[in-house]
Amino acid sequence: MRSVMLGVGSYLPTRVLTNAELAKRVDTSDEWIRERTGIRQRHIAAEGERTSDLAIDASRKALEAAGREAKDIDLIIVATTTPDLTFPATAARVQAALDVHQGAAFDLQAVCSGFIFALATADNFLARGQAKTALVIGAETFSRLLDWEDRGTCVLFGDGAGAVVLEAQADAGDRGVISTFIRTDGRMHDLLYVDGGPSQTQTTGKVRMIGNAVFRQAVEHISGAMLEACARAQVSIDAVDWFVPHQANQRILDGVARKLGIPVDKVVSTVGVHGNTSAASVPLALDAAVQDGRIKPGQLVLMEALGGGLTWGAALVRL
Ligand code: ACO
């Protein structure tokens, strides 16, 4: 049984926040942000626009691209760090809005690695025959968690959502999710966290990060995860057609590509225009490259991410 990726969709809020605008709020500059991160702009959700709203729009597009309807979906996983409410799950609201009346819907929290974790989770449900068709969504309104006075974090993140439809097929040939690898090391909890939460502070909190320490961990663990996903599939990294990384920082993307000898023109980069959208960044980048015709059916795609936890992972998929 293979989990075949039938369709991709994404959504970005209308409002674009440029580096120049940020430089009016905090002591930074367009030049510093571009040089250190590659980010030129990011999208910010409108007042009242919720994570579920972004997720619903992306899901509708993914369903349309997949040629599937609400009645086909029996599993919805929303990877998010910014749920609408502490409970119920944002996935429950997405399920209701899409008129899906069967199966399970739940949220998954692995911060920036959330989409890879959700994809691995859905793939396991499908492989075990516990669901037939899954919507896997990464959706964030990460701007709500930012300390707009902390120049070390507020320049990095943006909002958005991406979704894919996965379907269990027995006769998929070599298409579908081929291998996944996910990993958490809670000892690095304090490198990147939010200083609030229902149990500890009864507040939502703001993002705190030791950026240069996260940077060092990122290149090492992302490269390791990519090699592990390839090893599990017995596929050489040279055989991969496209790399769709988590879009944290152009320097991380370049560092990983250099370390693994990957040509830069095989790496999909949207960080310049999206910023870091946490769990949404991988499906957003995937959709961008599918929409513009770079990624074609039948090609081998390696996705990866690292985020708070620390968490990291990779997924190898033939489209
Ligand atoms: N504008 C101007 N100066 C800044 C800014 C800013 N926006 N932010 C930090 N600085 C200053 C610092 O205050 C520091 O000044 P000092 O030397 O006077 O103390 C100086 O720049 C250097 O700071 P560093 O943190 O060492 O800068 P670095 O080159 O590491 O870049 C950055 C910082 C961009 C955050 C980088 O470390 C990074 O991208 N790390 C990865 C973190 C990340 O992407 N996290 C997201 C979640 S995890 C993930 O998605 C992989």
Side-chain angles (χ1 to χ4, degrees):
M1 196 65 87
R2 274 282 176 85
S3 310
V4 178
M5 198 176 277
L6 293 179
V8 193
S10 66
Y11 172 81
L12 287 161
T14 319
R15 161 99 169 98
V16 170
L17 180 64
T18 63
N19 292 347
E21 286 174 82
L22 272 170
K24 288 182 195 152
R25 291 196 196 186
V26 285
D27 183 14
T28 190
S29 65
D30 176 45
E31 194 191 0
W32 191 96
I33 301 170
R34 279 178 195 241
E35 255 176 35
R36 299 288 180 116
T37 71
I39 299 168
R40 303 193 298 277
Q41 60 169 55
R42 69 289 292 143
H43 292 252
I44 303 290
E47 208 180 316
E49 198 173 26
R50 302 166 301 197
T51 294
S52 63
D53 298 320
L54 279 52
I56 291 160
D57 193 291
S59 297
R60 289 205 170 108
K61 290 174 185 152
L63 282 167
E64 199 185 327
R68 292 295 180 271
E69 296 172 7
K71 65 173 173 45
D72 302 314
I73 300 298
D74 56 1
L75 176 66
I76 299 176
I77 308 180
V78 176
T80 189
T81 309
T82 46
D84 292 7
L85 300 169
T86 303
F87 85 84
T90 299
R93 193 173 257 163
V94 172
Q95 188 202 46
L98 294 176
D99 267 329
V100 173
H101 300 148
Q102 61 282 323
F106 58 89
D107 289 0
L108 185 148
Q109 160 58 296
V111 207
C112 299
S113 311
F115 181 77
I116 302 291
F117 275 55
L119 194 70
T121 304
D123 179 44
N124 277 281
F125 271 88
L126 266 50
R128 295 265 297 161
Q130 293 185 344
K132 172 88 169 76
T133 311
L135 249 179
V136 181
I137 307 160
E140 302 277 17
T141 48
F142 217 83
S143 61
R144 315 282 202 235
L145 290 179
L146 297 176
D147 175 351
W148 291 100
E149 287 173 6
D150 176 12
R151 65 179 182 172
T153 52
C154 76
V155 303
L156 302 175
F157 297 93
D159 302 333
V164 300
V165 176
L166 286 187
E167 186 169 84
Q169 292 185 4
D171 52 358
D174 61 354
R175 286 185 74 198
V177 178
I178 299 170
S179 69
T180 59
F181 168 76
I182 58 172
R183 177 88 167 81
T184 302
D185 189 339
R187 290 171 299 182
M188 290 181 277
H189 177 282
D190 293 347
L191 296 188
L192 175 55
Y193 64 100
V194 165
D195 61 1
S199 169
Q200 193 166 313
T201 64
Q202 297 83 57
T203 61
T204 308
K206 301 287 178 210
V207 174
R208 306 293 170 211
M209 179 175 74
I210 307 172
N212 45 21
V214 174
F215 192 101
R216 281 193 295 276
Q217 295 294 333
V219 175
E220 184 191 334
H221 292 308
I222 287 169
S223 310
M226 290 163 72
L227 293 174
E228 181 61 32
C230 285
R232 287 180 178 190
Q234 295 179 303
V235 163
S236 129
I237 202 122
D238 302 333
V240 175
D241 295 301
W242 291 102
F243 296 85
V244 181
H246 168 50
Q247 309 285 321
N249 183 322
Q250 187 62 44
R251 283 161 56 216
I252 297 178
L253 271 58
D254 294 343
V256 170
R258 234 184 348 261
K259 193 171 162 112
L260 299 183
I262 297 167
V264 283
D265 56 3
K266 279 186 165 188
V267 181
V268 176
S269 173
T270 52
V271 67
V273 285
H274 297 168
N276 181 348
T277 57
S278 184
S281 97
V282 170
L284 267 166
L286 181 67
D287 194 37
V290 167
Q291 293 298 331
D292 68 20
R294 270 179 292 170
I295 298 183
K296 297 181 180 60
Q299 289 190 318
L300 196 55
V301 176
L302 182 58
M303 296 170 260
E304 51 83 345
L306 177 135
L310 291 182
T311 52
W312 61 93
L316 188 65
V317 180
R318 190 173 291 282
L319 255 66

